[in-house]
Amino acid sequence: MAQEPLATKGNFLHIYDFTIHPGVEEEFIKEFEAFDYSDGNPMHKSWAQVKDGVLLRDEENPLRFYLIAEWKDIEEHAKIRKILAEEIKPSFIRHIVGGSFVPRYAKVVSSTPDEILAKAAG
């Protein structure tokens, strides 16, 4: 059994599900990483971010990506996302079909209890 749950009960995950234009896959990843790991990314400075996001690439459709991260507060994430969309405008967004980079939010309603994790750890 895994020793750490993906997320904590009561927190939220943002889940971006988007497709990029063909032929720019590596450029998109490079631009995403350059922005995401830069000091200019306000998401990483927020008190509400619990776990840093991960970018996922669909195994069946290499133009489809997902971005997920764990947050304590949806409103805080949405506020920062608005700043990104209206003021910062990261270059990787231009590669997204439709130019829309809006997440779905999901509340974590079940997460492995600490006593189960401790028991599994031995």
Side-chain angles (χ1 to χ4, degrees):
M1 172 181 239
Q3 302 303 309
E4 182 179 348
L6 179 65
T8 302
K9 185 176 179 178
N11 286 341
F12 299 86
L13 294 180
H14 69 55
I15 304 165
Y16 292 82
D17 178 353
F18 58 94
T19 303
I20 63 169
H21 298 286
V24 297
E25 296 89 346
E26 296 311 313
E27 184 178 353
F28 167 76
I29 294 169
K30 183 179 175 181
E31 289 181 21
F32 175 85
E33 287 179 336
F35 173 75
D36 192 45
Y37 303 137
S38 74
D39 289 337
N41 185 350
M43 295 289 183
H44 297 170
K45 299 172 185 169
S46 174
W47 60 268
Q49 187 178 39
V50 177
K51 289 187 182 168
D52 193 22
V54 292
L55 181 64
L56 311 166
R57 188 175 195 177
D58 192 291
E59 284 291 299
E60 292 181 17
N61 178 357
L63 298 177
R64 188 172 187 182
F65 288 82
Y66 311 92
L67 175 63
I68 61 172
E70 183 179 3
W71 285 71
K72 292 180 185 176
D73 187 280
I74 289 175
E75 288 79 20
E76 177 70 7
H77 179 270
K79 182 177 86 175
I80 297 169
R81 192 194 71 74
K82 185 176 179 181
I83 292 168
L84 283 172
E86 295 176 2
E87 298 174 26
I88 298 174
K89 301 177 184 175
S91 66
F92 70 85
I93 301 293
R94 68 190 165 96
H95 298 302
I96 296 173
V97 173
S100 179
F101 195 59
V102 179
R104 303 275 317 231
Y105 293 106
K107 187 170 187 174
V108 181
V109 296
S110 180
S111 183
T112 310
D114 289 339
E115 61 270 14
I116 301 295
L117 292 171
K119 183 178 178 182

